[in-house]
Amino acid sequence: MKQQVRRSKLQWEKIIRQQAKSGLSAKRFCDRESIRVSNFYRWRRRLSDGPSPSENTDESPVFIDMGPVGRLGKEGDGNKAEAKFSSARFFEVVLDLGDGVTLTLRRS
């Protein structure tokens, strides 16, 4: 049984560039280099998508402020802080998580 080789992101970037320059199909190149073609495709897709949130380059957290949602209630229900946002009765947030997965949050 072959020992599995772990490669870094930089190593995969180099391998993907080498395949592109080789003129070989991904399958042929991977066969020649003894690389699993499924790993090659996964890394090529991962690197072409750009940095993921965990690979944030400016080291600040990835956060999108959607603003206050408020609570369902009537205007002037006695709590001025919450009444200010009570007009937000409807909202919908759709997050595209990649690979055909979406997360939808909806209040109607």
Side-chain angles (χ1 to χ4, degrees), residues 1-57:
M1 182 186 322
K2 290 183 182 180
Q3 184 176 354
Q4 190 173 4
V5 178
R6 287 224 179 259
R7 294 177 175 91
S8 70
K9 180 181 173 184
L10 292 175
Q11 288 172 316
W12 277 109
E13 288 172 342
K14 182 178 177 183
I15 289 168
I16 291 165
R17 282 193 307 270
Q18 288 174 336
Q19 185 275 327
K21 290 179 184 178
S22 74
L24 298 173
S25 68
K27 169 114 176 69
R28 279 212 155 134
F29 179 83
C30 290
D31 288 343
R32 185 183 81 182
E33 300 296 321
S34 300
I35 298 171
R36 282 187 175 172
V37 74
S38 60
N39 289 343
F40 177 85
Y41 284 131
R42 182 174 35 254
W43 273 98
R44 187 171 70 176
R45 183 178 61 246
R46 187 179 293 175
L47 294 171
S48 69
D49 289 343
S52 69
S54 64
E55 299 169 331
N56 189 12
T57 54

Side-chain angles (χ1 to χ4, degrees), residues 68-81:
V69 174
R71 86 172 197 198
L72 289 174
K74 296 178 182 173
E75 294 283 342
D77 65 354
N79 187 333
K80 292 181 182 177

